[in-house]
Amino acid sequence: GRVVATIPAPRNPEATVEHFALSPDGRFVAAEFEEDVLVWDVDTGRRLLRVGHSPARGKTVNYIRAVAFSADSRRLLVFERHDRVRQFDLASGRELAGDLESGSPSGGWPIEVDEHGTIRRRDPGTGRAVPAPPGYARVVMDISPDGRLIAVGDALGRVDVWRPNGTPVAVLGNGRAGISAVAFSPDGRRLAACDRRRVVRLWAVGSW
């Protein structure tokens, strides 16, 4: 339960984290704020890299769909729309030459990203796509103060409540917009969910 690092967010109070990634070795963290991807060193809190969005192929803006680190934690992958994937070397901070086209394997790393920012993985030996199990996309969650309930929201607009043993309790989401945050009230009597349209909904815990 010890805090190991505090990462400074941009000063803009309107900025929200759209995508987030932790390197496999736990040394680096990346987050996207308003189309800029920032990378920090976890131990020192020092910012290592800033990647701005870039026009490409006649498009005015290439919106970022996801960020990820390579398996050896040496590269940052920035997945943009219009099938563009950019690579950055963390040691030097420079962008590596050439884009990775959507659908082409690169060292066993996933290239395709769906419209919800979920990265599809590939088998490192064959390069074939590995089917993802059914489940949530880009999960946000919270645990009730008494530890008896777990609320889960995702980019598909789902809001579900579970017990820690895996028993489903309630299905609350309507799928209209992706969920950006869920939280129980301090007294555990309310559950709130905020979606990406900035609509906050509240439920009474128990009666739902």
Side-chain angles (χ1 to χ4, degrees), residues 43-102:
D43 291 334
T44 65
R46 182 172 61 92
R47 195 174 78 186
L48 302 177
L49 184 64
R50 177 178 179 177
V51 178
H53 68 273
S54 63
R57 299 176 190 166
K59 307 294 183 180
T60 55
V61 177
N62 246 353
Y63 293 107
I64 295 169
R65 301 172 68 185
V67 294
F69 290 93
S70 62
D72 58 10
S73 300
R74 294 181 179 179
R75 291 176 294 136
L76 174 72
L77 304 183
V78 178
F79 296 80
E80 297 181 345
R81 294 181 185 177
H82 314 305
D83 297 335
R84 190 180 189 205
V85 184
R86 302 165 67 195
Q87 292 190 90
F88 296 84
D89 178 69
L90 293 177
S92 65
R94 66 182 180 87
E95 184 168 2
L96 302 178
D99 296 338
L100 299 177
E101 297 296 328
S102 178

Side-chain angles (χ1 to χ4, degrees), residues 58-172:
K59 307 294 183 180
T60 55
V61 177
N62 246 353
Y63 293 107
I64 295 169
R65 301 172 68 185
V67 294
F69 290 93
S70 62
D72 58 10
S73 300
R74 294 181 179 179
R75 291 176 294 136
L76 174 72
L77 304 183
V78 178
F79 296 80
E80 297 181 345
R81 294 181 185 177
H82 314 305
D83 297 335
R84 190 180 189 205
V85 184
R86 302 165 67 195
Q87 292 190 90
F88 296 84
D89 178 69
L90 293 177
S92 65
R94 66 182 180 87
E95 184 168 2
L96 302 178
D99 296 338
L100 299 177
E101 297 296 328
S102 178
S104 62
S106 173
W109 265 90
I111 300 304
E112 299 104 331
V113 181
D114 67 19
E115 65 271 23
H116 305 293
T118 301
I119 301 172
R120 302 187 182 97
R121 296 190 178 277
R122 287 181 173 269
D123 184 279
T126 65
R128 295 178 179 176
V130 177
Y136 298 102
R138 289 177 58 190
V139 165
V140 291
M141 60 187 295
D142 192 31
I143 300 174
S144 63
D146 61 8
R148 296 182 178 179
L149 298 172
I150 300 172
V152 179
D154 80 344
L156 302 177
R158 297 168 60 179
V159 180
D160 298 333
V161 181
W162 299 81
R163 297 198 187 282
N165 63 3
T167 303
V169 175
V171 176
L172 306 174

